[in-house]
Amino acid sequence: MEDRVRVVIAEDSVLLREGLTRLLTDRGHDVVAGVGDAEALIKTVGELAAQDALPDVVVADVRMPPTHTDEGVRAAVRLRKEHPGIGVLVLSQYVEEQYATELLAGSSRGVGYLLKDRVAEVREFVDAVVRVARGGTALDPEVVAQLLGRSRKQDVLAGLTPREREVLGLMAEGRTNSAIAKQLVVSDGAVEKHVSSIFLKLGLSPSDGDHRRVLAVLTYLTP
């Protein structure tokens, strides 16, 4: 299976952890470990690293024992620093801007932040896991809306047309040009023109390669 990925799940709710495992394994992916707290997550990934068997992606709850505050996202940030090749997708009950911003700081590849309600949309959730594992981004629309809404880069925002802002929001969710076209009911060519215009207005040259999509999104999400 070309898109098969290896996953570690960190979630203190046994029911949800088992549910996520079932969703992923039923679609041909390998859940190599499931843990219930941040300390176990760090230990497990370290052990896998020692065996030269790092997972492609970690799916972690933002809040985990013992305090149920920010243990999960702290572990995710740490793993991104210690193992840059691992994708990290965090799940949260609510949009927590501080945690989302912290997670997005630094490397722009292989990161995702989804609300737990999004798990119910099975195909989108599994696609997000695979996308993050492959070095892409997956940001919940609610996260994008809140972070864009409080961005202080009004000078840059003012340079975009309403349609370009809409396209950028969908880009931030991790959607491809084709998916954006379907969402907006326009042609692929129209979306490509909007994306090119966004890159131009943000000063992102072709030399930035495929990273331009991520850089464009981060320009807006960074306060």
Side-chain angles (χ1 to χ4, degrees), residues 4 18 23 38 79 85-86 89 94-95 105 107 117 142 148 203:
R4 190 182 191 118
E18 293 300 321
L23 286 179
L79 288 175
I86 297 179
L89 174 62
Y94 311 101
V95 177
S107 174
D117 288 347
E142 291 297 324
L148 287 179

Side-chain angles (χ1 to χ4, degrees), residues 131 137 162-196 198-199 213 216-217:
R131 189 160 63 246
T137 58
R163 177 62 92 180
E164 287 168 349
R165 293 191 193 188
E166 192 172 10
V167 169
L168 180 57
L170 293 170
M171 286 169 59
E173 294 172 25
R175 297 177 188 264
T176 63
N177 284 3
S178 179
I180 293 172
K182 290 180 181 178
Q183 179 72 19
L184 299 180
V185 195
V186 297
S187 68
D188 288 1
V191 173
E192 290 174 4
K193 289 181 180 179
H194 287 311
V195 172
S196 295
I198 290 170
F199 290 158
R213 293 182 78 87
V217 171

Side-chain angles (χ1 to χ4, degrees), residues 76-188:
V77 170
R78 176 175 168 180
L79 288 175
R80 286 187 50 136
K81 292 178 180 178
E82 295 180 354
H83 308 285
I86 297 179
V88 173
L89 174 62
V90 300
L91 303 177
S92 179
Q93 194 70 39
Y94 311 101
V95 177
E96 301 181 80
E97 295 180 14
Q98 177 184 347
Y99 299 155
T101 302
E102 184 173 0
L103 187 68
L104 289 164
S107 174
S108 60
R109 291 178 57 82
V111 61
Y113 188 114
L114 297 180
L115 296 183
K116 287 186 175 180
D117 288 347
R118 204 66 55 187
V119 176
E121 300 172 20
V122 176
R123 176 176 292 182
E124 289 192 20
F125 169 70
V126 175
D127 286 349
V129 171
V130 173
R131 189 160 63 246
V132 171
R134 299 304 183 212
T137 58
L139 300 180
D140 194 283
E142 291 297 324
V143 175
V144 173
Q146 288 203 28
L147 293 182
L148 287 179
R150 61 96 167 116
S151 174
R152 293 196 296 271
K153 297 196 171 184
Q154 296 302 319
D155 55 334
V156 179
L157 287 173
L160 296 183
T161 66
R163 177 62 92 180
E164 287 168 349
R165 293 191 193 188
E166 192 172 10
V167 169
L168 180 57
L170 293 170
M171 286 169 59
E173 294 172 25
R175 297 177 188 264
T176 63
N177 284 3
S178 179
I180 293 172
K182 290 180 181 178
Q183 179 72 19
L184 299 180
V185 195
V186 297
S187 68
D188 288 1

